[in-house]
Amino acid sequence: MKFKYIYLIIAAFIIGSAASCKKELTNVNTNPNAITSDKYDPNLLLTTVQLMYTGSTSFGGSAWATKWGGVGCFIQHTASTNPGFYYGDKYLNNIGAMGEMFQDSYTSEVQPVVELYLLTANKTQYRNLHQMARIMKAMVFEQITDLYGDIPYFHAGLGYYERLYTPSYDKQEVIYPDLLKEVSQAVDSLSESADKPSGDVLYSSAGDQIAEWKKFGNSLLLRMAMRLTKVDPTTAQSYVAKVVGKTFQNNGDNAIVQHQDGNQLTQNRDALEIFGNDSTDLKLSSAFISGMKINSDPRLPVVAWIYSQDNNGNSTGDSDPADQIGMPPGFIAGGNNPAINITKLDTFPKAGIPGYSRINDNILNTAAPTLILTYAETEFLLADAGKRWPSLNISPATHYKNGVLAAVTQLSVYGDGAAISDADAQAYYENVAYNDANGLNQINTQYWLCTLMDEYEAWSNWRRTGFPNLTPVNYPGNVTSGTIPRRLTYPPSQKITNLANYNAEIAQLTGGDKMTTHIWWDK
């Protein structure tokens, strides 16, 4: 752990210098402080990319404005009565906030991961580091394209090398095959006899670092392949068949960034942004709380509490499952319209707004880990594949059970206070045991429950499957006609720094640059 911490701190200096650039895609492509081989050990770039994947260091940036202000509320993990900051549960058109993730990602993730990819290419001393760069690069771009659809991909981040300052947008249907190809080839090219990258925050302490990266790459490949279930099931099945038996095997394989307190650049991004901007307005939603209560989910007292402070100002709270109350989406507190005034509800807590459940400090604190990709998610995806395509001979019941048990017990990574026993996990499974007639709903509802804190992934999987069956709201002034958003809109800065390519993209984008437009794999 000390070893990882040293690399995190050194990487923080790189992040700090990169963050000094303006958050524009043009500046990403012309960064005068570009990280080059004569300045830095490429291993540090791997550390940087892994850390930045957990969220931008920009205060008030995408980790708050896009992830929690928008997407977490879209997917009804959370809700708020503050429509100014938390626009997502009311489907309001906050284009600046929705575009923050686009800007932050190209500045803080794309630039260093492309740099890492190019610096290590065709260098035998960096054989494995280059394959890790390919996997991380694909994961970074997967997240961006999943949220926005068509994006600059093939020429993004190349301004320093090719003087390409305004990269064109690439179609998602062209991007995804390349992502699958890159990850597949990278996994196959990892070698036990080659370098063991020291800047690896995920697996450098593992007993077999390269074996873990192969499982990580195959698990990512599975996730990418399953995105195509609606639009290209043939390709999806072929990649699923390729990775069966080669993905994560238990919670010990989970890809985790363990954050460190004491340095803003290495702290947990979610906690840093929510506590730093507004920790009281964001609540867990009624859909999420009821989804746990209905089956006596043992995770409820770990992930939720009703927050208060004692007479000395110290944080305290009620985590009794029976007392948890989720906030319904689409309301404000007060106003002249009783239909959207939450205080008029019969279920309004006696304690008022503070009486609604919040994310528990067990999992939301500045030293809390970020779970990037987990065994539980992988098992649910395999269960989904087995249910859809019996010819693959994958048991949906077995993988579903594995996923449920792993999703409950993986919370131990947050510390002893969050640990749930195997016996309690097994008892919970009996409450939600697999029923093939309702298989896809069960599988993907459990996926939704276990991806709290990974809001982008929860939203992507919901758009792919339609589960769980969430009830949309019809808040006055919403821009989706009362439907849950399907994509994020591009940042306004693209109209200034990359206007010609932005206009070309919008001209052929069916439905336009709107929250209701379906991306390619979500047709």
Side-chain angles (χ1 to χ4, degrees):
M1 187 65 67
K2 181 179 179 182
F3 174 79
K4 289 185 179 180
Y5 182 65
I6 292 171
Y7 266 85
L8 285 172
I9 293 299
I10 297 174
F13 287 100
I14 299 175
I15 295 168
S17 64
S20 66
C21 300
K22 291 176 62 179
K23 297 196 302 180
E24 306 285 5
L25 186 54
T26 297
N27 290 322
V28 173
N29 274 23
T30 60
N31 181 6
N33 297 318
I35 301 166
T36 56
S37 57
D38 62 329
K39 295 181 180 179
Y40 302 107
D41 175 1
N43 280 282
L44 297 177
L45 284 170
L46 179 61
T47 311
T48 299
V49 173
Q50 290 173 337
L51 182 59
M52 295 308 297
Y53 185 81
T54 70
S56 168
T57 58
S58 174
F59 190 69
S62 60
W64 181 50
T66 311
K67 181 178 180 180
W68 294 107
V71 175
C73 294
F74 292 167
I75 199 60
Q76 294 185 24
H77 277 164
T78 54
S80 178
T81 53
N82 183 338
F85 295 141
Y86 300 105
Y87 55 93
D89 71 332
K90 299 167 182 61
Y91 318 148
L92 300 177
N93 190 26
N94 192 330
I95 58 174
M98 282 188 286
E100 282 287 339
M101 193 275 179
F102 188 98
Q103 296 187 137
D104 285 348
S105 294
Y106 277 97
T107 301
S108 302
E109 298 173 54
V110 170
Q111 190 274 329
V113 81
V114 170
E115 197 81 35
L116 176 62
Y117 175 89
L118 294 171
L119 288 177
T120 56
N122 302 313
K123 295 180 180 178
T124 55
Q125 71 270 34
Y126 295 134
R127 172 174 174 169
N128 282 335
L129 181 57
H130 182 65
Q131 308 315 319
M132 293 176 188
R134 295 174 77 182
I135 293 170
M136 289 302 304
K137 178 172 173 281
M139 187 167 68
V140 165
F141 277 108
E142 178 207 23
Q143 187 173 78
I144 304 171
T145 189
D146 283 349
L147 298 180
Y148 296 94
D150 301 345
I151 58 169
Y153 173 63
F154 290 102
H155 297 105
L158 294 177
Y160 178 79
Y161 290 89
E162 299 183 7
R163 300 298 185 262
L164 184 71
Y165 308 136
T166 53
S168 60
Y169 287 65
D170 297 297
K171 304 292 291 181
Q172 188 178 67
E173 54 262 47
V174 178
I175 294 172
Y176 248 87
D178 195 69
L179 297 178
L180 291 163
K181 180 261 298 180
E182 281 293 294
V183 176
S184 181
Q185 289 183 357
V187 170
D188 291 343
S189 299
L190 286 165
S191 172
E192 290 283 359
S193 62
D195 56 305
K196 306 297 190 293
S198 56
D200 174 21
V201 174
L202 301 181
Y203 296 116
S204 62
S205 299
D208 190 335
Q209 180 187 24
I210 304 307
E212 290 295 339
W213 266 91
K214 288 182 177 181
K215 286 184 282 188
F216 173 48
N218 282 321
S219 297
L220 179 62
L221 196 60
L222 171 66
R223 186 173 79 181
M224 290 177 172
M226 290 300 290
R227 289 285 198 266
L228 309 185
T229 52
K230 289 193 290 189
V231 70
D232 189 356
T234 300
T235 297
Q237 290 179 69
S238 68
Y239 277 100
V240 172
K242 173 182 171 67
V243 302
V244 169
K246 301 176 183 178
T247 56
F248 292 153
Q249 299 300 302
N250 53 60
N251 280 338
D253 294 329
N254 290 347
I256 299 172
V257 172
Q258 179 60 62
H259 295 282
Q260 301 286 348
D261 221 341
N263 186 309
Q264 180 176 337
L265 295 176
T266 60
Q267 290 175 335
N268 180 285
R269 300 292 186 269
D270 297 320
L272 194 64
E273 293 293 337
I274 292 174
F275 293 152
N277 286 286
D278 173 28
S279 62
T280 60
D281 281 346
L282 187 65
K283 309 293 184 181
L284 288 167
S285 79
S286 53
F288 187 80
I289 295 296
S290 64
M292 287 197 155
K293 274 190 171 184
I294 195 170
N295 292 308
S296 301
D297 196 320
R299 291 170 290 187
L300 183 54
V302 173
V303 304
W305 68 346
I306 297 171
Y307 174 84
S308 61
Q309 291 184 331
D310 62 23
N311 293 333
N312 296 318
N314 298 315
S315 298
T316 183
D318 175 7
S319 59
D320 187 332
D323 296 338
Q324 302 310 308
I325 303 174
M327 176 176 281
F331 286 88
I332 60 173
N336 297 323
N337 185 348
I340 59 171
N341 184 350
I342 201 168
T343 67
K344 302 299 183 182
L345 296 177
D346 293 339
T347 56
F348 188 65
K350 292 181 179 179
I353 297 296
Y356 287 111
S357 300
R358 289 173 45 186
I359 302 173
N360 198 305
D361 280 7
N362 282 325
I363 63 172
L364 183 67
N365 64 78
T366 53
T370 295
L371 280 65
I372 291 177
L373 183 60
T374 68
Y375 169 59
E377 294 170 58
T378 301
E379 287 299 289
F380 289 135
L381 290 170
L382 287 169
D384 185 308
K387 172 61 179 173
R388 290 176 190 272
W389 306 307
S391 63
L392 292 176
N393 294 317
I394 298 172
S395 169
T398 298
H399 288 288
Y400 171 78
K401 182 177 181 179
N402 291 343
V404 171
L405 297 178
V408 173
T409 56
Q410 72 181 14
L411 294 179
S412 62
V413 74
Y414 291 100
D416 293 342
I420 298 172
S421 70
D422 291 342
D424 285 345
Q426 179 63 40
Y428 173 66
Y429 172 74
E430 299 301 327
N431 295 340
V432 296
Y434 185 71
N435 174 7
D436 193 65
N438 193 35
L440 287 178
N441 185 6
Q442 284 187 298
I443 293 163
N444 290 291
T445 294
Q446 287 295 327
Y447 197 99
W448 174 74
L449 288 170
C450 88
T451 48
L452 176 68
M453 309 307 292
D454 192 354
E455 305 309 297
Y456 298 145
E457 179 56 27
W459 186 40
S460 290
N461 196 67
W462 177 83
R463 287 177 291 155
R464 179 183 71 86
T465 67
F467 297 116
N469 184 19
L470 301 175
T471 302
V473 304
N474 198 13
Y475 185 83
N478 78 83
V479 295
T480 67
S481 299
T483 61
I484 296 174
R486 311 302 298 200
R487 67 180 285 272
L488 298 174
T489 57
Y490 299 123
S493 61
Q494 283 291 284
K495 299 177 184 179
I496 300 171
T497 61
N498 200 13
L499 180 60
N501 288 315
Y502 171 82
N503 284 340
E505 168 60 22
I506 300 307
Q508 57 79 49
L509 185 61
T510 303
D513 187 16
K514 297 178 181 178
M515 298 162 70
T516 52
T517 298
H518 288 235
I519 62 176
W520 170 69
W521 59 248
D522 183 29
K523 301 300 185 185

